[in-house]
Structures are given as structure tokens and as C-alpha cells.
């Protein structure tokens, strides 16, 4: 019998997944600056409705994962095409995250290291984690979430001497289109990437209670996002517009009594751990899609194939970190919105229309 | 199969640290100086030599040989010049512990943005390093030794930290400067540092006055009183010593805490900034025959102190208008608290500071007279 994941573990895993997405929020905060908090609230409200849609899908087809639902809703041929599309989508998200983590490691931690070596080592680690059972990893979400929350709170306290509340002013000073773009970005990048958890749906202990689980998960993730955005705006003010990693830059300013300094080391550690968690879940989603397409159970072959694909794509889909940043701020959010918001809504309509 | 994978991975991951940098050979930079030269810029990097510093009961002391070396290199731009220093040294400079950057006046007048870019972009450097301007050579500033600190950079950083605590002057770090440039609504200020020659004795360093910028270019200076005027209006808890005269008798007042509040209003095409400062202090010393138990005398003292503070603030405002440099950050405050007014004026006026009329109100309260009730000659 397949090992189940309790609903409590599941919402900590969702919160942990969102935390790893929001640790780097440079795009939104550089565009909307002092009003990113407002965007965060808007994005959260929209995301609540979207995750309720995800929950409905899980409850409607209990014991089935995302790919099974696609087969049911779209039939064998279109279902296969859509499963393949989701495979490419999760592979892209996975590669962006691995590349981002590797670039961060090279810039801030291991400046003389080769990019390929970091990517291969990280992928190997993720491969072993998924191979050992994704359920085991999901259970550690609770630990990762509390460590991250604790470090975020410590940083908040230590940054308090640099906080300037006037940095949140003026209110509502940007064009409507900027709010729209910002909301779309935060909704798709920070919250709705949790669509990946639909691939874990067959392992949920109580699928009937999934709405509550999803909502608690994104509330916990939202609180982390608010703390991070608060620190960035209150401490950095107008400078957020030019910094590539604002939260990291804010943490680097901590110098309390000349004792608590260089706390960015903790942040770097945190980022690597959280990215490991997120990347492992995405890795599982890609591997599951491969096994669904070849009609085999998840096994060593699909995991190995995923690892090879990830290494190849993340090393080659952009030439540099500058290209990755441009991609992240331009096309990427639209790709995310298509697969995280548009397709699930279409799927919902088809299911309702066909009365499945 | 598993054994082969483990073996291959251990080859990759357990091969040791190929790019390691040992601490005893690490050229740790604690201060940079940047001067203008005919053929480009000259960078002075102050590098600590830990092997020449001995520990004595927990306190670091100098050995007979110098505990630091000042390495200079010339280049067209800052990055190649620093690279050239690394080549000279045979090891890459380690800048993560850098405390400060001293700019020569010519460099500051030319504009600091192009130099700051390197300091902000490099992943080792931090934004909380101090920035200073000198009217002499930055290279000379980094060569003035002190008996109070083992390295000149450490001594200057200590002076600046004390200055920040005691409000004797501004102590800006790179983040403060960057904030001003990023917002575009506040002009930066940097502390000025000078070398004081002491005859046969060793020269010493003195922080006095402030360099005023418009954008990233230095355009003038504030003297100590104008600097304090700026601090009264913009910073809370200005901890300083004021000398006021009551009926011709000089009284020293130690200001313990102060608060300020700036409010804006608009009338007839002008913006009015009402600065209200409230301060409380103790009597430090009196020369003369003052009667501290006279309500009239205390009220007169409070009035005089308020008048002095107001004069200092107005002197700083006058300098701000004269130089057309909004170092008070009036425009930034207007942007944050009166956005509609800011929007109206920012479109039509090049410098909002020209449109601002400043009113100053100071309220002083004398709290303590110290351990003696009368002056020595009063009884």
C-alpha cells in the first residue's frame, strides 16, 4: 500500500514551498517598491480562489493526481498532449529554480566553482531524495518551515533599528497596469506554483479536507512573504529598485552591537535548504509525468531521465544569469499563468460541462 | 552500480577545496582611498598584516614592523586599478571586511556614482561601509597613525561611529548615499576629514564639517554649526553641547534628547515647511553669578538655547537654498507625506527647495542643574 501524507504535513509542505519562492522577490519589489505589500495581499486573495479550484479537483477525483485528471477530462490523445505540456512546464520551472540556485551559489558562496558542477551535485542530491520517497521529504516540510520562520523573525528583530515606516509612503501612486502586472507576477510565481502539489494528491490521507489544508498552507506562506516584503521596503526604501536580491541586501546591513553581523550566511543556508525542498517536489512532478507518458510506475528510469533532462536544460536554456533575470521578468510569469490559472479553469469548465 | 555512483560522486564532492583562501595569507582590506591623478585615479588599499599584530592579554598590539600596508595603484577606472593592486600583491584582495572609503575632493566634485557602482556591485563588499571626503589626499588620510587604534582605517571608523552616537556631525554609510541617489529626492551629505599638523608631534585626524552634494557631485561644504542645524531638523536625540549666553554669562548645556517634526502646507504657489524641534538638556557649566532658582533666569536660558538652535537650523536652510541642494530631504518628505503637492510642483519646478519657505519653532526645557545649586561666586 502506498504510504500516505497527513494533511498537517501537507500544509507545512505547501507553506515551505511558497517560502522558498518568496525568499527572492526582486522583480515585484523593484517595480512596485513601497506598495509591494498591497500587491502581496491582492495576489493572496486571488490565489485563495485558485487553490480552492485545485482543492475541488482533488476532492472531485479522490485518489487521482493531476495527470490522471487531465486524461479523464480531455480524453486519451488530448490528455497525453496536455500531460506532455505539463511535463515541459514543470521541467522549465525546475530548471529555472536549479539555475537560479546555482547562480546564487556561484555569486555569493562559491565564486570559483563551475556552474555545471553545482548543477550536477544539486541534481544528484535531489535525485536521491526523490528516489528515497517523496513522502519522506514532504514530512520534513514542518522542520524546514519552522527553521525558516525562526530565521525570518530573528532577522526582522535585528533589522528593527534600520526600519523606517515612511518608506511605505506614498500610497497608491503607481499606474493601474503596474499593479496588474505585479499581482499577476506574485500570484503565479509565489502562490500558484503550488499546482505542483496536485501531482502529490494520490498520497493525501484525507482528500476531503484538502481545501482547509491548501488554505492554511498558503496563509502560512503569505505571512512569510509579508515579513520578507516588510523588511525589504522598511529597511531599503527607494534602493530596492536597483538591488538584485533585496532581502539578502537588507540582511547584510545587520550589525547589532557589532556582534550580530554577517547573518547573510544563515540566509544563504536557508535558501539552499528551501530550494532543495522546492526542487525535489518539482523533480517528482516531472518524473511522474514521464512515467505517466510511458505508462510505467515511477521508478529509477524516470528519475534518472528527469535528472539528465534537468541538467541539460538548466545548463543550456539561458547563457547567463542576466538572461535568466530577463526571462524571469518577461515571458516566465505568462507561461506560469497559463499552466497554473488558465488551464485549470478550462479543465474545471470541461469537467462541469461533461458532468464528469 | 550504487557503489560506482557513490565513488564517482565522492570524486566530485570530496576532492577538497580547490579555491580555498587561507586566513593567514588573506590580504584583508580595511579601507580604500581614491584620489584624482592626471593619468586616471589612484586607489590606495589599506591591507591588514595580521602577522605583525601580536595579542597581549586579549588586546591587539603592534609588533615592531607596521601592522598594515597601503598599496597604491593607478588606473583609468576603479575595477582595473584594484585588479592591478591584486596583481602587485600576488593575491586577490579580500574586501568583505572593508570599513570605509575616503574620496579626494576632486573626485567628489567630479561625481561619485561611477566609483560607487563597483562598491555596490561586488559581492564581497557591504553597503554599511562609511564614506568620507577629504580636502587633501585620501592616500595621506590612510597613513595617519593613531595611538588609539591599531590601523588608521579602524581609528577613522571608530571616530565616525562616535560621531554618529554624539551627533557631532554626519556619518553616512554607502547605503545612505545610495538611498539619496536612488530616490532622486534628497541630496547626500558626507563627513569631511582633515589632517591636523601638530608641530613636532604626530599629525592627527579630525572630522569637521560636511561635504554637500547635488546628485552625486560635491558642490559645497557645511561648517560645524550648519551641520548641527541640519541634525537638529532631521535627526532625533541630538546629543551635543551648546553654549548660550544669559545676561552676558556663558552657560554650557548638554542636550540629552531632542525630537523633530516637519509639516508642510501650501499657499499662493509656495510650500511652507514648519520645522518644530523639542529638546531637553542639563546645565553642564556656568561662568558668572547665575541664580538657578530664579524662574526668570531659567526661562531666559531656555529662550536663548531655543534661539541658538533656530539660528543653526536657519543657517543650514540658507546654505541648502544657496547651493540648491535639498540635503534636508524636503522633497522626499513631501513625496511621502504630501504626494499631491509633490506631484504638482515636481512637474513645474526643477528644484523644489527653491519653492520652500521654512519656519522654525524650537521648544527647550532645562531639566537638571547638576551636583551644585549655585555658581561658585554667587554665594
Amino acid at each position: 500500500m502506498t504510504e500516505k501524507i497527513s494533511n498537517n504535513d501537507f500544509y507545512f509542505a505547501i507553506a515551505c514551498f511558497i517560502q522558498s519562492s518568496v525568499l527572492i522577490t526582486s522583480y515585484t519589489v523593484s517595480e512596485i517598491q513601497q506598495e509591494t505589500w498591497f500587491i502581496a495581499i491582492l495576489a493572496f486573495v486571488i490565489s485563495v480562489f485558485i487553490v480552492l479550484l485545485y482543492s475541488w479537483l482533488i476532492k472531485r477525483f479522490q485518489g487521482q493526481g493531476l495527470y490522471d485528471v487531465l486524461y479523464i477530462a480531455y480524453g486519451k490523445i488530448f490528455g497525453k498532449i496536455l500531460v506532455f505540456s505539463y511535463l515541459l512546464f514543470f521541467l522549465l520551472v525546475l530548471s529555472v529554480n536549479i539555475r537560479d540556485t546555482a547562480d546564487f551559489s556561484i555569486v555569493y558562496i562559491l565564486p570559483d566553482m563551475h556552474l555545471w558542477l553545482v548543477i550536477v551535485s544539486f541534481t544528484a542530491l535531489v535525485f536521491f531524495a526523490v528516489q528515497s520517497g517523496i513522502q519522506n521529504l514532504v514530512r520534513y516540510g514542518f522542520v524546514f518551515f519552522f527553521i525558516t520562520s525562526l530565521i525570518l523573525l530573528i532577522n526582522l528583530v535585528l533589522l528593527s533599528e534600520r526600519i523606517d515606516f515612511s518608506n511605505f509612503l506614498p500610497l497608491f501612486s503607481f499606474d493601474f497596469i503596474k499593479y496588474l502586472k505585479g499581482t499577476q507576477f506574485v500570484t503565479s510565481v509565489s502562490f500558484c506554483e503550488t499546482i505542483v502539489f496536485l501531482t502529490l494528491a494520490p498520497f493525501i490521507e484525507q482528500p476531503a479536507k484538502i481545501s482547509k489544508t491548501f488554505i492554511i498552507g498558503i496563509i502560512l506562506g503569505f505571512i512569510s512573504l509579508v515579513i520578507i516584503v516588510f523588511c525589504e521596503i522598511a529597511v531599503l526604501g527607494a534602493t530596492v529598485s536597483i538591488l538584485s536580491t533585496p532581502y539578502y541586501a537588507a540582511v547584510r546591513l545587520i550589525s547589532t552591537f557589532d556582534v550580530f553581523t554577517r547573518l547573510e550566511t544563515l540566509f544563504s543556508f536557508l535558501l539552499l535548504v528551501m530550494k532543495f525542498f522546492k526542487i525535489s517536489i518539482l523533480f517528482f512532478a516531472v518524473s511522474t509525468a514521464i512515467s505517466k507518458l510511458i505508462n510505467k510506475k515511477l521508478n529509477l528510469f524516470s528519475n534518472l531521465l528527469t535528472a539528465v533532462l534537468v541538467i541539460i536544460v538548466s545548463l543550456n536554456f539561458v547563457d547567463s544569469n542576466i538572461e535568466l533575470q530577463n526571462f524571469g521578468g518577461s515571458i516566465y510569469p505568462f507561461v506560469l499563468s497559463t499552466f497554473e490559472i488558465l488551464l485549470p479553469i478550462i479543465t474545471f469548465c470541461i469537467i462541469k460541462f461533461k458532468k464528469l | 552500480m550504487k557503489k560506482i555512483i557513490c565513488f564517482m560522486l565522492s570524486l566530485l564532492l570530496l576532492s577538497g577545496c580547490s579555491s580555498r583562501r587561507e586566513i593567514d595569507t588573506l590580504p584583508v582590506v580595511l579601507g580604500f582611498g581614491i584620489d584624482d591623478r592626471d593619468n586616471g585615479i589612484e586607489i590606495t588599499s589599506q591591507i591588514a598584516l595580521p602577522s605583525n599584530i601580536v595579542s597581549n592579554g586579549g588586546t591587539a598590539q603592534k609588533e615592531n614592523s607596521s601592522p598594515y600596508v597601503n598599496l597604491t595603484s593607478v588606473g583609468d577606472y576603479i575595477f582595473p586599478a584594484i585588479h592591478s593592486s591584486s596583481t602587485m600583491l600576488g593575491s586577490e584582495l579580500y574586501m568583505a571586511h572593508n570599513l570605509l572609503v575616503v574620496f579626494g575632493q576632486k573626485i567628489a566634485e567630479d561625481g561619485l556614482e561611477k566609483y560607487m557602482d563597483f562598491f555596490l556591485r561586488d559581492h564581497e563588499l557591504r553597503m554599511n561601509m562609511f564614506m568620507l571626503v577629504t580636502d587633501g589626499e585620501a592616500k595621506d588620510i590612510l597613513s595617519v597613525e593613531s595611538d588609539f587604534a591599531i590601523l588608521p582605517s579602524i581609528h577613522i571608523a571608530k571616530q565616525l561611529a562616535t560621531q554618529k552616537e554624539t551627533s557631532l556631525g554626519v556619518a553616512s554609510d554607502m547605503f545612505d548615499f545610495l538611498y539619496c541617489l536612488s530616490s532622486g529626492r534628497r541630496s547626500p551629505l558626507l563627513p569631511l576629514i582633515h589632517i591636523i599638523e601638530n608641530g613636532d608631534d604626530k599629525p592627527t585626524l579630525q572630522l569637521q564639517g560636511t561635504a554637500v552634494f547635488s546628485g552625486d557631485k560635491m558642490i559645497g561644504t557645511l561648517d560645524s554649526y550648519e551641520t548641527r542645524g541640519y541634525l537638529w531638523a532631521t535627526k532625533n536625540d541630538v546629543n551635543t553641547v551648546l553654549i548660550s549666553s544669559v545676561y552676558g554669562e556663558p552657560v554650557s548645556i548638554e542636550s540629552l534628547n531632542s525630537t523633530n517634526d516637519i509639516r508642510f502646507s501650501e499657499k499662493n504657489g509656495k510650500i511652507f515647511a514648519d520645522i518644530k524641534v523639542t529638546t531637553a538638556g542639563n546645565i553642564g557649566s556656568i561662568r558668572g553669578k547665575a541664580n538657578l532658582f530664579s524662574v526668570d533666569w531659567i526661562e531666559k536660558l531656555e529662550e536663548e538655547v531655543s534661539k541658538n538652535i533656530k539660528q543653526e537650523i536657519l543657517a543650514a536652510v540658507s546654505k541648502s537654498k544657496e547651493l540648491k541642494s535639498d540635503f534636508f530631504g524636503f522633497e522626499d518628505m513631501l513625496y511621502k507625506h504630501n504626494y499631491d503637492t509633490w506631484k504638482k510642483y515636481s512637474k513645474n519646478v526643477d528644484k523644489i527647495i527653491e519653492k520652500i519657505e521654512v519656519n522654525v519653532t524650537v521648544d527647550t526645557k532645562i531639566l537638571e542643574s547638576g551636583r551644585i545649586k549655585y555658581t561658585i561666586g554667587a554665594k
Side-chain angles (χ1 to χ4, degrees):
Chain A
M1 192 187 150
T2 317
E3 219 178 319
K4 294 284 180 187
I5 301 166
S6 78
N7 287 51
N8 285 0
D9 287 339
F10 205 75
Y11 67 64
F12 277 119
I14 292 169
C16 201
F17 190 88
I18 295 172
Q19 276 182 332
S20 73
S21 305
V22 298
L23 282 172
I24 299 175
T25 58
S26 69
Y27 174 76
T28 331
V29 87
S30 67
E31 287 291 309
I32 315 287
Q33 298 184 22
Q34 76 271 15
E35 290 175 49
T36 310
W37 62 269
F38 177 63
I39 295 296
I41 293 172
L42 274 181
F44 169 71
V45 172
I46 294 168
S47 304
V48 166
F49 290 105
I50 296 165
V51 298
L52 283 176
L53 174 64
Y54 300 162
S55 310
W56 183 84
L57 290 172
I58 294 175
K59 280 194 274 189
R60 181 75 188 78
F61 302 99
Q62 290 191 15
Q64 313 280 355
L66 172 69
Y67 307 123
D68 305 309
V69 175
L70 290 174
Y71 276 121
I72 296 166
Y74 295 92
K76 207 175 174 186
I77 297 166
F78 280 111
K80 207 159 212 163
I81 293 168
L82 278 171
V83 171
F84 184 68
S85 308
Y86 267 100
L87 185 155
L88 294 180
F89 165 67
F90 286 132
L91 185 63
L92 175 75
V93 180
L94 177 56
S95 305
V96 165
N97 277 279
I98 286 205
R99 182 64 187 257
D100 209 21
T101 311
D103 280 335
F104 180 86
S105 309
I106 285 171
V107 172
Y108 294 104
I109 308 168
L110 306 159
D112 296 329
M113 192 62 81
H114 294 288
L115 180 71
W116 69 267
L117 192 54
V118 179
I119 287 177
V120 169
S121 314
F122 207 81
T123 310
L125 189 68
V126 170
F127 167 81
F128 282 115
V130 176
Q131 188 63 26
S132 318
I134 195 72
Q135 297 96 322
N136 298 327
L137 183 77
V138 167
R139 275 187 208 108
Y140 282 102
F142 168 79
V143 179
F144 294 153
F145 174 79
F146 273 99
I147 293 173
T148 308
S149 305
L150 186 69
I151 293 176
L152 289 180
L153 288 174
I154 290 171
N155 287 345
L156 178 66
V157 171
L158 295 177
L159 279 169
S160 57
E161 61 177 354
R162 279 196 176 256
I163 283 173
D164 178 1
F165 286 100
S166 75
N167 284 336
F168 288 93
L169 297 171
L171 298 173
F172 311 115
S173 58
F174 293 102
D175 295 334
F176 176 72
I177 193 80
K178 276 203 169 185
Y179 292 106
L180 204 67
K181 278 172 78 176
T183 308
Q184 187 236 351
F185 188 89
V186 179
T187 307
S188 51
V189 175
S190 304
F191 294 112
C192 291
E193 277 184 357
T194 49
I195 191 172
V196 71
F197 282 90
L198 292 187
T199 60
L200 288 167
F203 306 118
I204 301 168
E205 205 170 57
Q206 294 170 291
K209 291 183 178 173
I210 193 65
S211 306
K212 192 178 157 193
T213 306
F214 247 118
I215 298 289
I216 295 174
I218 72 159
I219 287 174
L220 293 176
F222 169 69
I223 293 168
S224 306
L225 173 66
V226 168
I227 293 173
I228 289 168
V229 166
F230 175 82
C231 287
E232 288 174 348
I233 301 168
V235 173
L236 300 173
T239 61
V240 289
S241 59
I242 66 160
L243 296 166
S244 56
T245 45
Y247 187 70
Y248 185 79
V251 173
R252 291 190 101 191
L253 288 172
I254 294 174
S255 179
T256 310
F257 314 124
D258 286 332
V259 176
F260 298 104
T261 61
R262 289 156 216 282
L263 293 186
E264 69 271 15
T265 319
L266 278 180
F267 175 82
S268 306
F269 160 75
L270 200 68
L271 190 77
L272 291 181
V273 171
M274 300 306 281
K275 283 286 182 187
F276 160 71
F277 186 84
K278 181 179 179 179
I279 288 166
S280 300
I281 306 267
L282 289 164
F283 189 99
F284 171 81
V286 175
S287 186
T288 313
I290 291 172
S291 59
K292 286 281 170 198
L293 284 172
I294 58 174
N295 238 345
K296 288 264 165 74
K297 273 197 166 182
L298 191 67
N299 57 18
L300 184 66
F301 170 75
S302 59
N303 282 342
L304 270 177
L305 187 60
T306 307
V308 172
L309 283 172
V310 166
I311 291 168
I312 294 169
V313 177
S314 51
L315 275 171
N316 296 296
F317 86 107
V318 283
D319 288 334
S320 65
N321 183 255
I322 297 168
E323 261 186 43
L324 182 66
Q325 297 296 328
N326 287 338
F327 175 71
S330 54
I331 313 160
Y332 189 54
F334 293 98
V335 177
L336 291 179
S337 297
T338 308
F339 284 89
E340 292 166 0
I341 303 168
L342 191 65
L343 274 173
I345 290 173
I346 294 171
T347 309
F348 170 78
C349 294
I350 289 173
I351 290 166
K352 279 280 173 194
F353 181 73
K354 286 185 173 176
K355 293 181 182 162
L356 292 169
Chain B
M1 180 66 183
K2 269 189 183 173
K3 279 179 185 171
I4 294 169
I5 293 172
C6 286
F7 177 71
M8 296 298 283
L9 274 175
S10 60
L11 277 182
L12 279 175
L13 301 172
L14 306 175
S15 56
C17 308
S18 60
S19 56
R20 72 194 182 279
R21 297 170 81 184
E22 301 295 346
I23 194 152
D24 55 334
T25 58
L26 209 59
V28 181
V29 180
L30 290 179
F32 281 111
I34 305 176
D35 289 301
D36 183 61
R37 294 286 177 264
D38 294 337
N39 50 346
I41 52 165
E42 185 181 72
I43 304 271
T44 305
S45 316
Q46 183 153 96
I47 298 161
L49 299 173
S51 52
N52 290 349
I53 302 169
V54 289
S55 178
N56 184 3
T59 315
Q61 289 186 341
K62 295 174 193 175
E63 274 265 47
N64 290 334
S65 40
S66 179
Y68 69 92
V69 62
N70 282 350
L71 204 66
T72 57
S73 58
V74 179
D76 290 335
Y77 303 100
I78 194 160
F79 196 29
I82 286 178
H83 247 270
S84 151
S85 297
S86 297
T87 316
M88 235 187 287
L89 202 68
S91 176
E92 210 173 312
L93 296 180
Y94 184 66
M95 301 179 285
H97 292 274
N98 185 44
L99 297 169
L100 49 93
V101 189
V102 186
F103 296 96
Q105 189 165 334
K106 184 94 188 351
I107 291 275
E109 284 167 352
D110 192 33
L112 297 185
E113 200 179 298
K114 52 183 176 263
Y115 305 107
M116 279 179 68
D117 189 273
F118 165 77
F119 290 104
L120 292 168
R121 205 173 288 280
D122 189 274
H123 72 275
E124 276 181 4
L125 288 156
R126 279 150 204 283
M127 287 196 290
N128 50 7
M129 65 182 110
F130 287 116
M131 290 171 76
L132 306 98
V133 175
T134 176
D135 49 0
E137 297 268 306
K139 182 183 175 181
D140 296 339
I141 295 288
L142 291 178
S143 306
V144 177
E145 293 182 1
S146 157
D147 293 331
F148 303 109
I150 207 149
L151 261 75
S153 296
I154 295 175
H155 178 58
I156 299 168
K158 278 184 176 174
Q159 280 185 304
L160 283 162
T162 311
Q163 176 149 293
K164 207 168 188 174
E165 291 291 316
T166 57
S167 314
L168 290 167
V170 296
S172 300
D173 58 26
M174 195 158 278
F175 173 75
D176 297 329
F177 203 92
L178 176 68
Y179 177 87
C180 295
L181 295 188
S182 311
S183 75
R185 299 179 295 267
R186 182 189 283 265
S187 298
L189 293 175
L190 289 183
L192 278 168
I193 189 163
H194 318 269
I195 297 174
I196 306 294
E197 297 294 344
N198 297 315
D200 292 339
D201 290 336
K202 284 195 295 188
T204 50
L205 291 174
Q206 189 182 30
L207 290 164
Q208 195 173 40
T210 306
V212 180
F213 287 76
S214 176
D216 68 328
K217 292 182 174 61
M218 182 181 163
I219 51 164
T221 58
L222 298 182
D223 62 26
S224 303
Y225 292 103
E226 290 161 343
T227 303
R228 197 163 61 182
Y230 156 78
L231 292 170
W232 285 120
T234 56
K235 306 266 185 272
N236 284 334
D237 296 329
V238 175
N239 183 351
T240 185
V241 175
L242 275 165
I243 298 171
S244 291
S245 178
V246 184
Y247 303 121
E249 294 169 347
V251 184
S252 305
I253 304 292
E254 183 195 12
S255 161
L256 292 177
N257 53 55
S258 67
T259 56
N260 59 68
D261 183 34
I262 304 181
R263 306 247 162 178
F264 294 92
S265 56
E266 190 206 351
K267 207 176 177 184
N268 302 331
K270 284 241 171 216
I271 305 164
F272 293 90
D274 294 308
I275 304 175
K276 190 177 178 196
V277 176
T278 310
T279 181
N282 296 340
I283 296 172
S285 71
I286 306 173
R287 211 189 302 161
K289 295 181 178 178
N291 181 359
L292 268 62
F293 291 97
S294 151
V295 176
D296 171 56
W297 192 90
I298 291 288
E299 278 179 357
K300 181 75 179 160
L301 175 62
E302 288 172 347
E303 195 183 300
E304 285 299 321
V305 172
S306 298
K307 205 165 95 185
N308 287 359
I309 293 172
K310 185 175 176 176
Q311 278 169 354
E312 288 181 0
I313 296 172
L314 288 174
V317 171
S318 163
K319 192 50 108 34
S320 170
K321 283 181 171 260
E322 180 193 322
L323 296 172
K324 292 180 184 171
S325 167
D326 186 3
F327 51 79
F328 281 92
F330 289 130
E331 188 180 345
D332 197 40
M333 290 180 228
L334 208 59
Y335 171 79
K336 287 174 174 173
H337 302 285
N338 300 62
Y339 181 69
D340 291 335
T341 314
W342 174 82
K343 212 171 167 184
K344 186 172 153 190
Y345 284 88
S346 63
K347 281 179 189 163
N348 308 322
V349 184
D350 187 30
K351 299 253 180 192
I352 282 186
I353 183 75
E354 292 171 32
K355 281 273 173 192
I356 291 181
E357 293 287 320
V358 177
N359 300 315
V360 182
T361 319
V362 183
D363 185 20
T364 306
K365 194 83 197 151
I366 301 297
L367 301 174
E368 295 278 345
S369 63
R371 286 196 299 134
I372 54 173
K373 292 193 286 188
Y374 300 96
T375 55
I376 297 164
K379 278 272 170 180

